[in-house]
Amino acid sequence: MTQLTLTPHERQELKGRAHRLNPVVLLGAGGLTEAVFKEVDRALNTHGLIKIKVPGDERAAREDIFVQLAERLSAARVQTIGKILVLYRPQPDALAVPSTRSPKAPARPPSRATGGATTAQRGKPGRGEIRAGRPAAPRRKAVGR
């Protein structure tokens, strides 16, 4: 398999998103094993953008590990900072099913108390509305000024 290539603009945007992430996979003394490849593949399928921490002080060995991971998993190497590698691969479910939720739609579900009904559906007046047939409250008179 080959590495995924990114444009400079895509790479810059992914670097910004990866800044706040913590490493998801930590390589041990065993180095690259089949279990490590499976775990990194699972993390890429779940998150799409991940950080991997590799121990060791030899830069050439770390670089070789980074190249092997990116090529075998068809991922893009976004950034390398010391012993941390940032990998990106588009999530398969994100490509197949577009989101039907509006980006401005509320993230929380409707409350149980109203059964999901809006103010107009419950019959309650909204802000600035006056119920028909209900008299206004009497005004108080100023006394002794």
Side-chain angles (χ1 to χ4, degrees), residues 55-126:
D57 293 328
E58 194 173 329
R59 184 178 296 191
R62 287 193 313 261
E63 185 66 26
D64 186 44
I65 289 172
F66 295 159
V67 169
Q68 287 179 26
L69 279 169
E71 285 182 357
R72 183 157 174 195
L73 299 174
S74 297
R77 293 176 54 194
V78 176
Q79 185 177 24
T80 302
I81 302 175
K83 298 179 181 183
I84 296 180
L85 167 70
V86 179
L87 283 178
Y88 170 74
R89 185 173 68 192
Q91 294 174 290
D93 57 15
L95 297 175
V97 181
S99 175
T100 57
R101 188 171 86 79
S102 166
K104 292 189 176 183
R108 59 189 167 109
S111 68
R112 286 192 225 167
T114 61
T118 62
T119 321
Q121 292 168 341
R122 289 191 306 263
K124 292 185 178 179

Side-chain angles (χ1 to χ4, degrees), residues 1-82:
M1 294 185 205
T2 61
Q3 285 188 30
L4 182 67
T5 56
L6 298 172
T7 65
H9 180 69
E10 291 171 332
R11 186 177 309 278
Q12 196 67 26
E13 192 239 324
L14 290 170
K15 282 181 183 181
R17 284 181 31 204
H19 182 71
R20 63 182 173 81
L21 297 177
N22 292 324
V24 176
V25 179
L26 305 171
L27 263 68
L32 283 178
T33 62
E34 283 301 314
V36 171
F37 281 112
K38 286 180 183 178
E39 185 63 24
V40 171
D41 187 46
R42 184 201 58 77
L44 284 170
N45 286 336
T46 303
H47 303 290
L49 182 68
I50 62 168
K51 281 185 179 178
I52 301 168
K53 188 168 185 177
V54 179
D57 293 328
E58 194 173 329
R59 184 178 296 191
R62 287 193 313 261
E63 185 66 26
D64 186 44
I65 289 172
F66 295 159
V67 169
Q68 287 179 26
L69 279 169
E71 285 182 357
R72 183 157 174 195
L73 299 174
S74 297
R77 293 176 54 194
V78 176
Q79 185 177 24
T80 302
I81 302 175

